[in-house]
Amino acid sequence: MPMPKTVPVSVDAMLEDLRTLVETESPSRDLDALSASAKVVAAVIESRLGGQAVLVETGAGPHVHWSAGGDPKVLILGHHDTVFPLGTLERRPFTVADGRATGPGVFDMLGGLVQAIHGLAALDDRSGVEILVTADEEVGSHSSRSLIEERALACGAVLVFEGSADGGALKTGRKGCGTFEVSITGRASHAGLEPEAGVNALIEAAHQVLDIAALGRPRLGTTVTPTVASAGTLDNVVPAAATVTVDVRVESAEEKERVESAFAALTPRLEGAQLSVRGSVGRPPMPESASAPLFAVARRLLPHLEGKAVGGGSDGNFTAAIGVPTLDGLGAVGGGAHADHEYLVIDAMTERANLVAGLVRAIRGA
């Protein structure tokens, strides 16, 4: 199954569309910006693929759905929201230089969207292909998850165009990930006159941080990392409240259940303190078995491709968890996701677009 050799993909056209998307800033939760971004994404899809892209309005912003018609076989999955606030573009404009494209969102994941669209545009027959570009992936996919799962089940195979792993590797596995917040209620008192009359929420938080950190199981791929804490009001007041935020990553459903149960079972160490816990491992793990059939196809098309399991989550976690074959990391080759040095390797764009075409042909043929 060799990679098609004559797919007419224009790098200049891809960079033109990438510039259009990057220059329409789309920070998560900014509904006006996301509305404008969704319209631009839809326009790019329609101009390259024809048909009509539908805007699915939600409280988190519009998702973009396009279908070529026919019996659904392949879901192209991505998102148009980014982590960068409005005004980032002015400080870090879209730039093409020294073989790289830079600008907010080029790697995560606007470059991948462009490559997917242009790869599909090279196909004479696009029947059976759907594209879903969501507006809230960077903030948990709460409004899009049910739609993602619905279309994944309908199509039976999912190609996720998040940026590649290091060196251009595809992402064949992902950890499940989630955030927990532990809120602690104590009792205020004067720190000098009667500290014993208070219940120090900061000291309780210190106990909880150590207990929480001990939940990690690195040998099983489980990391439990307290990341943000706050407590207190004034330097002479025993703190009456504190909060601790925790990042959790797991490789298995069993570890997901263990960690969630452990958070639910947390108890105060100080008499009079109270705890409240919220959160979960919202993105289930994506096991490598979920990607194996599609990765084998990709390797037949491009034998030099490598696959890596990574710690970060994506919407591919949801589709893999419901049993739909899912391959991730098909997007831009580059790096610096969520950072000022984010970049895309221009020379890799054509190969990635060709890979889209080859994968779609193979999946429909199967």
Side-chain angles (χ1 to χ4, degrees), residues 32-335:
D32 290 338
L34 289 168
S35 180
S37 173
K39 291 174 183 175
V40 170
V41 170
V44 170
I45 291 173
E46 291 171 353
S47 69
R48 300 298 180 184
L49 302 178
Q52 182 176 4
V54 176
L55 301 188
V56 182
E57 299 290 345
T58 74
H63 313 314
V64 183
H65 182 235
W66 177 89
S67 173
D71 186 22
K73 296 287 187 182
V74 186
L75 178 64
I76 303 294
L77 185 57
H79 63 89
H80 65 100
D81 64 318
T82 70
V83 300
F84 302 104
L86 289 180
T88 302
L89 185 68
E90 182 177 0
R91 177 173 57 84
R92 192 158 57 88
F94 180 77
T95 304
V96 175
D98 301 322
R100 293 183 172 190
T102 57
V106 291
F107 179 68
D108 186 13
M109 60 166 289
L110 303 177
L113 294 181
V114 168
Q115 291 166 183
I117 292 166
H118 282 256
L120 295 178
L123 294 171
D124 293 331
D125 177 12
R126 300 170 198 135
S127 61
V129 179
E130 296 188 16
I131 300 174
L132 179 59
V133 186
T134 65
D136 64 345
E137 192 274 344
E138 296 290 7
V139 290
S141 304
H142 301 295
S143 79
S144 57
R145 180 174 181 174
S146 61
L147 179 59
I148 290 166
E149 293 175 340
E150 172 196 313
R151 299 322 307 157
L153 287 168
C155 291
V158 178
L159 303 177
V160 185
F161 283 81
E162 294 282 358
S164 68
D166 291 347
L170 302 187
K171 294 174 179 175
T172 52
R174 285 185 178 273
K175 290 186 179 183
C177 54
T179 302
F180 291 81
E181 184 176 90
V182 180
S183 299
I184 300 155
T185 302
R187 184 170 61 247
S189 66
H190 195 292
L193 295 178
E194 48 178 2
E196 70 284 351
V199 177
N200 195 315
L202 178 54
I203 293 177
E204 180 63 47
H207 285 296
Q208 295 300 324
V209 164
L210 295 176
D211 290 345
I212 289 166
L215 297 176
R217 299 286 187 274
R219 64 183 180 82
L220 299 178
T222 301
T223 60
V224 180
T225 310
T227 54
V228 180
S230 64
T233 53
L234 294 170
D235 59 2
N236 62 351
V237 177
V238 171
T243 59
V244 178
T245 303
V246 187
D247 178 274
V248 173
R249 311 279 165 152
V250 298
E251 288 186 359
S252 68
E254 293 77 13
E255 279 296 279
K256 173 183 183 297
E257 293 174 6
R258 181 187 70 82
V259 172
E260 288 179 339
S261 296
F263 270 94
L266 289 175
T267 55
R269 302 283 289 274
L270 300 182
E271 184 177 354
Q274 298 178 348
L275 300 183
S276 173
V277 179
R278 64 184 181 92
S280 66
V281 180
R283 293 186 191 274
M286 173 182 161
E288 292 191 80
S289 58
S291 67
L294 295 176
F295 182 58
V297 175
R299 284 291 299 269
R300 290 197 293 271
L301 292 166
L302 287 177
H304 67 270
L305 279 176
E306 295 184 358
K308 293 183 180 180
V310 298
S314 81
D315 287 336
N317 291 56
F318 298 134
T319 62
I322 57 174
V324 179
T326 300
L327 185 58
D328 204 339
L330 287 158
V333 176

Side-chain angles (χ1 to χ4, degrees), residues 20-42:
T20 298
L21 295 184
V22 171
E23 291 184 347
T24 307
E25 292 183 284
S26 54
S28 304
R29 297 193 175 100
D30 188 320
L31 299 186
D32 290 338
L34 289 168
S35 180
S37 173
K39 291 174 183 175
V40 170
V41 170

